[in-house]
């Protein structure tokens, strides 16, 4: 018996069991998009949460999404989930459009975290650096080259990471990778190749990362956490752990000093490996950034960095600093040599010329001002909402009164503002008590749209 | 009992058994490099053939190579194997260099196939295209974007591939990937995810590709071949096959028309999948290029192309045209979104502006002249050597009198000329009768060094 299904504010009718469930879900979703009931740009629930809502297998939802992405009705974007494609709903001339219900329109503003302000990408400086780098490069840089990446970039990164993030690095242990995700995938393959079965992760994080790990054959096991962060004492005999010690995404905390020491001590004692995801370590506003955890135990920590937040995700530029002992295994996996040499040489030139530092300083000032404005506006207009997490990075966590998270996200959609609730980032297996909050990416808007976006946020606060 | 080991003309003393074999091999090789007995640039045998020589496990050799790459003594380059690093042998001031035997010096010329003439990369035009592309791009291109790659590039490729290679493509079925290797890795993961166990391959090819496939958990099964190419009738109930229908690497033949039809018929009949590696399809000198096999069965063929031979491998730009049914599975693997957007937009602009066609025409003329000069020089000076394979691509196969292949390669090394024998590319499990030949990459030298390189080749011919 088909039942009405009202997740994310849309009623669909489908038969959620039997062999036709995937077909039924696909047809129902396609029809909702085609008919305009799901507006272009609308974010769909994660496959995990929709599967839970419908009581069906997660793979079925994931396959349905993939089918509709392939058909062009949906788009899947790393870091911002699955959405209705922008041009999906235009009804063909010969079709009667389905009767439209009142539904949220395409969002005009977004505070979905995960991307920096792309309008501030230093296009002119980047092109200048590209020209200088290519003019100086011998012909053989255009060949296959070192599997770790260009020596020019690894040398520039070794100096920069030591200076800016306290990382102990030498170019021989740095491997340039296709963003953070490319590095994580390689490391998960190495761990799986060693016979490991699982990777400990934090209880809130990004499902795209967990999925990358799952596809290599490892499972992810969420660490319990308390108000101070992930409980290192619960690691026990885990084999490896993925952490955001400097600025947790999405919760926004920093790992306290005693837990930083404890996790390195755990690694020394057990031989476990720490994967340190330092995605936005340059952006701290109330003090000097805390150095990378890697400095406490370079033989036990893989440091992972990226230009995705400091410059732009589209560059697909990431890097790993590996313990000496891990280098041959990572190179032996293949899958390195994953970034074009022109971008590598350009970033090397960008760093060594000082343009990267200048860009980071300007970005730090921009995001700091935005965070200050966010805190001030909420204090004045929504005093019951508490901004939590350290003054850092490109996102803030807004704790909401119980029972309001979903309503606020939906109200925002009606106002044309794309928002994400904390629940979206919760690991399905975590037993930590949930709380209600928004994860607000104040780095996402352009300078031009930021004031309107902040105003729109204040309007939907409970 | 340590035995002297004289593969590739170097005597090493090592104990090839017991738990110390990896350590012993590593030390012996390191010492040979450090002492200068293995000169910078020297190409090492494949791990497969060295393992066979020494009667030890291939993994032991591969691990040894990886260790020495990590230590900086060796470099591993896709498409050209493992070599002694350029700066590896400089003895430290406080060390007595080991007594040097007479050994080949660093090669001054190379005819190792796998890279185009990098000195002819159109740097100025490429930078101009990059500037135009970035100036025209909206800010959101710098975000994570479509997992298939930028629509601008997929649209440009769909048009180009239809026009230049006869490929039936639409942008929705094109996925931009990290060179051919990135595409092959994704496809092998998809096939493994479907429960397949093996991929049929040609009896000669690149071990880096076989290794990529093996690491996903699939084995590679070489097809027998005869004078006309791989024996399609031997495919039987194979699940999938990787072919170079247009220009086999390294053998240099083209799949005859009746076998092109037969393999598509095989795929239709059995549901098998054909992976068409079209790495150099633009370069045919005696006639119009034969169109891609994909056109005969777009629902059964994955077409894989790359800019590695037409422009430069360092760009890491490749593309797949997928059967409709395969798109969701490939996107569901992750690992897409693997190429920086600036290179994607630049290539799109390069193609649509006509610069790519101009570059291909100039390159075709350059390589055709080189091939003609090679054929003429050998006819005059080494009439017993037969140039085989079609007039296409960047390499030719020089059939040698029996028993001469290894001697010619070694004599060339003494003359400072890096050459590769056909045996290097032989699949270890193939039962096809071997023959002796050189695989000469006449595309590799610069215009400036080509005449000297050709002269050096003629001097070492038997």
């Amino acid at each position: 018996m088909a039942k009405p299904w009202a997740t994310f504010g849309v009623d669909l009718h489908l038969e959620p069991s039997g062999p036709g469930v995937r077909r039924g879900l696909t047809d129902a979703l396609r029809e909702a998009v085609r008919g305009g009931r799901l507006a272009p740009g609308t974010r769909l629930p994660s496959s995990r949460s929709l599967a839970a809502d419908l009581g069906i297998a997660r793979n079925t939802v994931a396959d349905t999404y993939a089918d509709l992405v392939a058909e062009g009705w949906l788009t899947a974007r790393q870091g911002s989930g699955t959405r209705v494609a922008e041009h999906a709903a235009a009804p063909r001339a010969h079709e009667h459009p389905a009767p439209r219900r009142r539904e949220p329109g395409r969002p005009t503003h977004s505070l979905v975290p995960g991307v920096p302000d792309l309008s501030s990408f230093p296009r002119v400086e980047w092109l200048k650096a590209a020209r200088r780098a290519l003019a100086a490069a011998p012909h053989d840089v255009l060949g296959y080259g070192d599997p770790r990446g260009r020596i020019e970039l690894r040398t520039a990164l070794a100096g920069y990471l030591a200076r800016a993030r306290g990382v102990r690095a030498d170019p021989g242990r740095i491997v340039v990778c296709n963003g953070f995700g490319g590095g994580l995938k390689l490391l998960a393959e190495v761990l799986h190749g060693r016979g490991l079965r699982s990777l400990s992760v934090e209880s809130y994080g990004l499902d795209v990362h967990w999925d990358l790990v799952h596809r290599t054959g490892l499972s992810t096991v969420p660490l319990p956490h308390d108000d101070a962060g992930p409980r290192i004492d619960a690691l026990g005999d885990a084999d490896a752990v993925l952490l955001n010690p400097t600025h947790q995404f999405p919760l926004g905390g920093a790992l306290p000093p005693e837990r930083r020491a404890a996790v390195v001590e755990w690694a020394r004692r057990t031989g476990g490996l720490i994967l340190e995801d330092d995605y936005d370590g340059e952006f701290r506003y109330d003090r000097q950034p805390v150095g990378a955890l890697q400095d406490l135990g370079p033989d036990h920590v893989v440091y992972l960095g990226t230009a995705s937040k400091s410059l732009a995700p589209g560059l697909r530029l990431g890097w790993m600093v590996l313990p000496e002992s891990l280098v041959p295994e990572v190179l032996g996996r293949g899958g390195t040599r994953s970034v074009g040499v022109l971008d590598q040489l350009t970033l090397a030139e960008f760093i060594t010329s000082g343009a990267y530092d200048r860009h980071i300083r300007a970005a730090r000032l921009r995001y700091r001002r935005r965070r200050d404005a966010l805190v001030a506006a909420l204090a004045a207009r929504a005093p019951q909402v508490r901004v939590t997490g350290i003054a850092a990075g490109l996102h803030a966590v807004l704790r909401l009164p119980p029972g309001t998270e979903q309503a606020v996200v939906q109200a925002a959609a009606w106002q044309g503002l794309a928002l994400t609730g904390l629940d979206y980032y919760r690991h399905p297996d975590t037993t930590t008590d949930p709380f209600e909050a928004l994860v607000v990416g104040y780095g996402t808007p352009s300078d031009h749209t930021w004031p309107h976006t902040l105003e729109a946020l204040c309007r939907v606060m409970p």
Side-chain angles (χ1 to χ4, degrees), chain A:
Chain A
M1 168 73 205
K3 70 173 184 180
W5 163 61
T7 312
F8 59 105
V10 178
D11 291 334
L12 298 174
H13 291 75
L14 68 128
E15 185 65 55
S17 66
V21 58
R22 173 170 168 188
R23 166 62 65 97
L25 179 60
T26 306
D27 289 349
L29 266 177
R30 189 194 296 108
E31 206 40 52
V33 173
R34 195 202 307 263
R37 282 183 293 148
L38 281 171
T42 304
R43 184 191 180 119
L44 274 69
S46 72
S47 57
R48 179 177 288 115
S49 73
L50 181 53
D53 277 1
L54 297 174
I56 62 179
R58 184 175 176 208
N59 275 353
T60 304
V61 179
D63 290 344
T64 295
Y65 281 6
D67 287 352
L68 293 171
V69 165
E71 290 177 22
W73 299 104
L74 304 180
T75 60
R77 292 168 192 268
Q78 192 165 9
S80 76
T82 304
R83 294 172 182 279
V84 177
E86 292 304 341
H87 307 295
R92 297 184 198 153
H94 62 276
E95 285 178 359
H96 282 284
R100 293 178 69 115
R101 295 170 41 141
R102 235 174 80 79
E103 290 293 342
R106 175 180 169 181
T108 49
H109 301 306
S110 173
L111 288 169
V112 173
V115 283
D117 173 2
L118 299 174
S119 74
S120 72
F121 180 82
R123 297 185 181 212
V124 173
E125 286 293 326
W126 187 263
L127 281 171
K128 280 185 187 167
R131 200 167 55 236
R132 288 194 304 268
L134 194 52
H139 294 307
D140 68 3
V141 305
L142 293 160
Y144 284 98
D146 192 302
R148 291 170 294 193
R150 289 300 309 167
I151 184 64
E152 295 88 341
L153 177 56
R154 290 184 288 118
T155 304
L157 284 171
Y160 173 78
L161 294 174
R163 172 165 59 79
R165 302 293 304 124
V167 173
R168 279 196 251 174
D170 66 77
R173 293 187 295 117
I174 295 179
V175 174
V176 178
C177 52
N178 176 35
F180 169 79
L184 179 63
K185 185 177 186 207
L186 266 175
L187 293 167
E189 288 173 355
V190 165
L191 296 175
H192 186 256
R194 284 182 174 187
L196 271 54
R197 309 294 291 272
S198 68
L199 173 69
S200 291
V201 298
E202 302 198 48
S203 45
Y204 286 82
L206 283 169
D207 64 355
V208 289
H209 296 160
W210 302 326
D211 287 348
L212 272 180
V213 172
H214 298 160
R215 278 195 293 263
T216 66
L218 294 178
S219 61
T220 55
V221 177
L223 271 180
H225 80 111
D226 56 25
D227 286 347
R231 282 189 36 215
I232 302 305
D233 61 311
L235 271 174
D237 61 353
D239 296 308
V241 60
L242 171 65
L243 293 174
N244 293 149
T246 302
H247 187 216
Q248 211 279 331
F249 187 87
L251 295 174
L255 196 65
E258 61 280 9
R259 295 198 187 183
R260 289 165 60 97
V263 71
V264 174
E265 170 52 30
W266 163 84
R268 286 215 177 87
R269 196 175 64 243
T270 65
L273 188 68
I274 302 166
L275 313 186
E276 176 178 20
D277 173 10
D278 190 43
Y279 64 104
D280 69 355
E282 288 95 345
F283 296 124
R284 179 87 192 228
Y285 311 125
D286 56 343
R287 50 164 289 171
Q288 282 294 309
V290 175
L293 181 70
Q294 186 261 9
D295 181 45
L296 299 179
D299 294 335
H300 305 279
V301 180
V302 178
Y303 173 89
L304 292 123
T306 174
S308 292
K309 309 301 180 249
S310 60
L311 284 164
L315 296 175
R316 310 307 307 126
L317 275 163
W319 43 85
M320 301 189 272
V321 183
L322 297 167
E324 191 77 44
S325 60
L326 213 57
V327 175
E329 273 176 283
V330 168
L331 298 186
R333 292 303 310 173
T336 50
R337 232 184 240 108
S338 58
V339 176
V341 291
L342 301 185
D343 283 338
Q344 290 190 56
L345 293 174
T346 302
L347 180 58
E349 168 67 22
F350 210 68
I351 292 173
T352 51
S353 70
Y356 192 65
D357 284 283
R358 286 194 298 278
H359 172 72
I360 294 288
R361 279 198 299 273
R364 194 184 286 135
L365 187 61
R366 167 183 299 111
Y367 297 133
R368 177 191 184 148
R369 284 180 175 151
R370 289 192 191 175
R371 190 177 191 283
D372 290 347
L374 172 72
V375 171
L378 291 173
R381 297 180 54 183
Q384 71 284 24
V385 170
R386 190 155 57 90
V387 180
T388 63
I390 60 175
L394 310 180
H395 77 279
V397 177
L398 277 47
R399 287 193 77 143
L400 299 175
T404 60
E405 181 180 313
Q406 202 182 349
V408 168
V409 171
Q410 293 205 358
W414 281 102
Q415 304 270 342
L417 172 66
L419 276 184
T420 321
L422 179 62
D423 184 61
Y424 179 81
Y425 300 103
R426 184 174 168 84
H427 194 287
D429 301 334
T430 189
T431 55
T432 297
D433 285 340
F435 61 94
E436 301 206 15
L438 298 175
V439 184
V440 169
Y442 54 78
T444 305
S446 66
D447 279 344
H448 175 67
T449 57
W450 164 244
H452 312 287
T453 310
L454 179 56
E455 173 60 29
L457 176 70
C458 288
R459 275 201 305 267
V460 299
M461 285 294 97

